Amino acid sequence: MMTLLVSALLAVGAPSGDGDGETPWSDNPGVLGCTPGVLRASQSLVLSLGPGHGGELAIRRVSDDTWYFLVAHAPPEGEPQLMTPDAFARAERVEVPASRLGRASVDAPLAPIFSTPGTYEAYVSETLESDAGGHVCRFEYLGAR
């Protein structure tokens, strides 16, 4: 059942909101921080994780609202994960290389997550597909400039 939910979520590309369309996402750097603020192709995004950040992680490209789920409790079969949800929930620091591959949807081929220069956001939550929300941080990707 959970695999179906994650599959459906990947297909539509966004965590669900509550009844009024708003999901509470906090930008508290004590729980989630993104560095560097401007990421280049040769770097890694470093996530600083505080207590209660949760067990799931997604990266969103803002320009086209494309989501990449890097840590999920029940990923689709064969979906590459950065680490297990338990390991992520315990982590205080995680690096995501700018060369990291992911899928924009269940049927999409693996492709670089950071493929287009622009604004990106990292989301952490206990369960991304819930209306409970979580934490978010924003950064810019410059590419190979």
Side-chain angles (χ1 to χ4, degrees):
M1 176 71 169
M2 187 60 144
T3 299
L4 290 175
L5 288 173
V6 171
S7 295
L9 179 59
L10 286 170
V12 298
S16 64
D18 56 22
D20 65 3
E22 293 295 319
T23 299
W25 295 101
S26 170
D27 65 353
N28 181 348
V31 178
L32 174 62
C34 292
T35 54
V38 178
L39 182 66
R40 294 182 179 354
S42 61
Q43 297 177 302
S44 291
L45 173 66
V46 178
L47 302 176
S48 301
L49 303 163
H53 64 270
E56 294 190 338
L57 165 66
I59 303 287
R60 174 180 169 246
R61 185 172 50 235
V62 174
S63 65
D64 61 0
D65 197 32
T66 299
W67 290 76
Y68 297 90
F69 292 82
L70 303 181
V71 180
H73 288 293
E77 188 173 328
E79 182 67 22
Q81 296 287 285
L82 188 63
M83 63 184 57
T84 67
D86 288 340
F88 183 72
R90 290 189 307 271
E92 294 179 1
R93 181 179 186 275
V94 170
E95 291 189 25
V96 180
S99 60
R100 176 74 189 188
L101 301 178
R103 292 183 209 283
S105 68
V106 175
D107 298 325
L110 284 173
I113 293 170
F114 302 110
S115 59
T116 305
T119 303
Y120 287 74
E121 295 172 331
Y123 288 81
V124 297
S125 177
E126 187 52 44
T127 308
L128 287 168
E129 68 269 13
S130 75
D131 61 0
H135 295 86
V136 61
C137 60
R138 183 176 274 224
F139 57 97
E140 298 294 319
Y141 175 66
L142 291 183
R145 291 186 210 174

